[in-house]
Structures are given as structure tokens and as C-alpha cells.
Amino acid sequence: GIYLYHFRKKIFTNNRRLTLIGLLILLEGLFAYITREMDINAPLEYLIFVPVASMLLTIIFDSRVGFYGTVIVAFIVGGIRGNDYSIALISLVAGALSVYSVRDMKNRTQIFRSLGFILLGYGLTIVALGLERFETLSVISEQLSFALINAVVSPVLTYGLLIFLERVFKVTTDLTLLELAHFNHPLLRMLAVQAPGTYHHSMSMASLAEAAASAVGANEVLARVGAYFHDIGKIEKPTYFVENQKGTRNKHDKLSPRMSSLIIAAHVKDGMALAREYNLPEEVVDFIPMHHGTTRI
């Protein structure tokens, strides 16, 4: 409650993200209920995929939201399982380690390195609680085998659900931004060919923006990617911008100031149209009008 109070502006201003958090918690509770109601003599509680929610919350938000979400989910699972707080502790440890494993992801395939961390979390707590309760070796082995299934399935589920949730809830993660940061994006290739001066300018601005974001604790990846695309509207009329004229006569010399200002301002509208045509996230599109401002040109 204290956490949500302090970060209400960050979370509650985006209803889609709030819905996403609620959906993940609901699904974990549903899994816990199903495993409790199924009449099967097996440790099904280890097939409640708490690490999936932990990793998704970490990737979509950050490690702090991921950890607090893991604590909430773990206690909900324990409560639904009949106040079984041993499974709450086990889920909490495994979920916390899965949060650690994806906190600094650079590409989607890194999700699968969490397999070892999840298995480690389940394994340590299962063995510790088993020894504390004097469980037989066969019981501990059976629990570990189900934990292994969880550790293998959780990264696969996370990978698939992440793509689905990004599309449905229109959430832009750092992974999406890192994919846009590759210079092989069609818009960046067009910019490099048709407006090379603007391309060089954008790369320089990206370095400055990233450094500035780092200094103030802002999202460095978003700043860099936004700077890459902020001037893509100049693709439409590249030679009307000084960085692309390469020593040729300035075309604005024969134009009235009013006409020059209209042409210059048009690259904002053109850029937004191009960005949406190529399905850039709105967080990146925002850089196009915001970089230019509304004062006199």
C-alpha cells in the first residue's frame, strides 16, 4: 500500500498498465486455486508459475515493481492454498531470483538465462524446508522434479506472453526500444541515404540525450532512441535543411520567411506521419513534436 501510494502517479495514470498488473495477479491466484482443487496426489503447487509474473513485471516496469509484485503474488498464492506459507516462501525466493535474472535485459533471448535462477530458488528452499520437516528423499525429489518443470516452462511462457501483452496493452518495454536502436530500421536507413547530414545530427543528438538522461536518472534507452527518430520528417525535403546542403546554395534564399517557416515546421508533421506508418511506439513518436517546440521559428 505504501509503495502504491508513493508511485500512484506513475502507475495509476496509465490504466492499461494497472489492468496488466491486476491481470497477472489474478492469473496467479487462479493457478493457485486450480492446483488446490485438483484431486491429484502430486505437489502441483510447484506448477504455479509465480516467476512468470515476476519476470513480466520486471521487464514491463522495473525490478522494484517486479519484486513488490512477487511479494504480493507469493502471499496471495499461500493464502489461496489454505494459508500454506511454505509455498509462499518458496515462490517468493524463486520469484525474487527471477527478477534479478532479467533486471538488465539487452535482448529477449536473455529471458532463458532465468531458468537456472528459478531452479536455484526452488531447489534451495525445497531442500531447506524438506530437511526442516524431515521429509523423505523421495518426497524432496518429487518436489524438485516439479520445480524443474516450472523452471523450464516459466521462461517460455514469459517470452510468449511478453510479445502478446506488448501488442494488446500497447506497452513499450526497454526491449522494444533496444530493438529500435539497431541501425537497420527502415526509417534510419532511409534517413542515412536521403538525408545523411540529418542522420549524423541525429546520432550526435542521441549521444548527448543519452548522457543527459543518465545524469538525471531518466530512461537512457528511450532518450537515445527518441533522438534517433526525432528528425525523420526531413526525409521528405532533405535539401531544405542546412545540414544536407553540402555547400550548395541555400534554397531558402529565394523564399519568403513565411514560406521557409512553413517548410521547416512541416518536417514535424511529416515525421509523425512516417513514424506512425512504420508503427513506432507513441513514446518515441512524442519526441518528434516535442523537440521542436512552439515558439517563433
Side-chain angles (χ1 to χ4, degrees):
I2 292 172
Y3 174 77
L4 290 179
Y5 174 79
H6 285 296
F7 291 91
R8 64 191 184 282
K9 289 184 180 178
K10 178 179 179 181
I11 295 177
F12 286 97
T13 52
N14 192 325
N15 290 331
R16 288 176 301 189
R17 295 199 172 203
L18 178 61
T19 303
L20 177 56
I21 293 173
L23 178 62
L24 290 174
I25 294 174
L26 178 65
L27 286 174
E28 294 294 346
L30 180 61
F31 270 116
Y33 178 78
I34 291 172
T35 60
R36 183 189 175 192
E37 294 299 311
M38 291 179 69
D39 188 19
I40 299 176
N41 187 23
L44 296 179
E45 62 269 25
Y46 297 107
L47 295 183
I48 303 171
F49 301 106
V50 174
V52 173
S54 303
M55 289 189 286
L56 286 172
L57 289 173
T58 302
I59 295 168
I60 294 172
F61 296 98
D62 54 40
S63 58
R64 185 163 44 184
V65 175
F67 177 74
Y68 284 121
T70 300
V71 174
I72 294 169
V73 169
F75 279 106
I76 287 175
V77 166
I80 292 174
R81 291 279 310 174
N83 293 332
D84 180 5
Y85 291 105
S86 62
I87 190 60
L89 173 63
I90 292 169
S91 298
L92 176 59
V93 174
L97 285 177
S98 67
V99 168
Y100 173 80
S101 69
V102 298
R103 75 193 191 290
D104 292 317
M105 290 189 61
K106 300 302 180 187
N107 59 70
R108 294 178 190 271
T109 57
Q110 283 183 247
I111 291 173
F112 296 101
R113 75 177 181 179
S114 60
L115 188 156
F117 286 91
I118 295 170
L119 184 58
L120 177 65
Y122 277 116
L124 288 175
T125 46
I126 287 171
V127 171
L129 290 175
L131 293 173
E132 187 264 338
R133 294 173 178 176
F134 300 101
E135 299 279 11
T136 63
L137 186 60
S138 61
V139 171
I140 294 176
S141 298
E142 185 181 26
Q143 293 173 347
L144 287 173
S145 64
F146 275 78
L148 175 60
I149 295 172
N150 191 323
V152 172
V153 172
S154 287
V156 177
L157 276 176
T158 302
Y159 188 91
L161 285 173
L162 181 61
I163 297 172
F164 172 76
L165 294 174
E166 283 178 321
R167 299 282 175 85
V168 172
F169 289 91
K170 300 186 185 303
V171 173
T172 303
T173 66
D174 280 354
L175 290 176
T176 303
L177 295 172
L178 285 168
E179 289 166 359
L180 290 173
H182 295 308
F183 299 133
N184 60 352
H185 190 280
L187 280 175
L188 293 181
R189 290 206 305 266
M190 287 169 58
L191 189 67
V193 172
Q194 298 180 35
T198 301
Y199 178 83
H200 176 74
H201 159 73
S202 298
M203 297 304 108
S204 300
M205 290 301 100
S207 297
L208 291 172
E210 184 177 30
S214 176
V216 299
N219 189 328
E220 302 169 37
V221 181
L222 178 59
R224 174 157 56 95
V225 173
Y228 283 163
F229 291 93
H230 80 281
D231 262 346
I232 54 173
K234 293 181 179 180
I235 291 173
E236 300 294 333
K237 294 183 178 69
T239 55
Y240 281 87
F241 298 91
V242 65
E243 68 266 24
N244 300 311
Q245 289 170 359
K246 298 181 180 178
T248 60
R249 187 177 180 84
N250 192 331
K251 292 191 174 184
H252 291 280
D253 290 345
K254 295 183 178 180
L255 298 177
S256 68
R258 174 66 178 167
M259 182 57 66
S260 289
S261 69
L262 289 174
I263 292 173
I264 292 170
H267 87 275
V268 172
K269 183 171 130 183
D270 293 340
M272 294 176 71
L274 276 171
R276 292 191 172 121
E277 180 184 341
Y278 283 83
N279 298 314
L280 292 185
E282 284 300 313
E283 290 87 343
V284 176
V285 177
D286 284 343
F287 279 75
I288 299 172
M290 290 181 184
H291 89 272
H292 210 268
T294 56
T295 56
R296 185 185 301 276
I297 297 174

